[in-house]
Amino acid sequence: MKHTIGRLVLRGLLLAILGLFYSGISSVPASAHSLSGPAVASHAKVIPQATPAPCTNSGCYGLDPYKTACGKASSYNTIYTVSAPVPANYTLYKATIYNKYSTWCRANWAEIVVTSSDYSFASISISASGERKCFPTGCTSVYLGSYYPAWTDMVDSALTTSACADEPGGGVTCVD
C-alpha cells in the first residue's frame, strides 16, 4: 500500500509538471512568421556598421574625389551639385560648370562637362577661403584637350566654395 500511494503521488507530480510544460507550449504561436499569439519580446535594433570616409573636410584637401570614392554616390554618400552654363551669356551653352559636394567626405570639387566638341577651356578651379585647387594643376596651365568631364581635387566644405571655369577668350563663369 505504501508503494501504491508513493507511486500515485509521483504520477500526480509528473502530470502536474507536464501540465505546466504543456500550457507553456500551447501559448507559442503556430509558426515563427505568425502574427497571432502573445507578443514576443522585442529584439535590440540592428544598426549597420558605417563605412568610414577615406577623408573628411580639410583632410580631403588636394585629393582626387573619384580615386578616394568621395565622388561616388552610395547609400552612405550623397553628391549634391550646383551648376551654371558656360559661357553664362549663351542661351545654347557649350559646357556646364559644377560645384559638387560629398556628404560622406564633407568636401567640394569643381567639375566641367563640355557639350560641344569645338569648345574647350583654359582651366577650372574650386576655391574656399584661401584653399584653391585647379585643373590642370598649378592654376596657370591651359587645358585644350577633349577628355571631359574634367575635375579638380577637393577642398574643405566647411568653408564657402566657388567653382569657376576660365574660358580661353578671357571670360569667367562661377557657381557657388
Side-chain angles (χ1 to χ4, degrees):
M1 182 88 146
K2 257 178 155 181
H3 293 292
T4 307
I5 293 175
R7 285 184 181 175
L8 286 176
V9 170
L10 185 57
R11 280 186 187 170
L13 186 58
L14 286 173
L15 286 174
I17 292 171
L18 284 173
L20 289 173
F21 180 72
Y22 178 75
S23 68
I25 290 175
S26 67
S27 66
V28 175
S31 81
H33 300 285
S34 173
L35 296 177
S36 62
V40 178
S42 65
H43 296 285
K45 184 177 180 181
V46 176
I47 299 172
Q49 183 68 25
T51 303
C55 62
T56 56
N57 293 95
S58 62
C60 293
Y61 179 76
L63 299 178
D64 186 307
Y66 297 103
K67 287 181 182 174
T68 60
C70 293
K72 182 181 177 189
S74 65
S75 61
Y76 46 85
N77 188 28
T78 302
I79 307 298
Y80 289 102
T81 61
V82 181
S83 63
V86 181
N89 59 349
Y90 280 14
T91 14
L92 296 172
Y93 52 91
K94 298 184 178 193
T96 303
I97 181 76
Y98 296 94
N99 186 340
K100 294 196 168 192
Y101 168 75
S102 164
T103 59
W104 186 39
C105 298
R106 298 188 303 268
N108 286 69
W109 65 97
E111 190 166 310
I112 194 161
V113 176
V114 174
T115 55
S116 174
S117 61
D118 64 343
Y119 201 73
S120 57
F121 289 85
S123 66
I124 59 171
S125 64
I126 185 84
S127 300
S129 299
E131 291 185 356
R132 185 172 184 213
K133 293 313 271 177
C134 300
F135 176 81
T137 59
C139 300
T140 55
S141 313
V142 174
Y143 179 70
L144 299 173
S146 58
Y147 297 104
Y148 289 100
W151 59 87
T152 66
D153 289 334
M154 296 181 285
V155 295
D156 186 351
S157 73
L159 309 168
T160 303
T161 61
S162 182
C164 298
D166 298 323
E167 304 158 33
V172 177
T173 300
C174 294
V175 62
D176 298 326

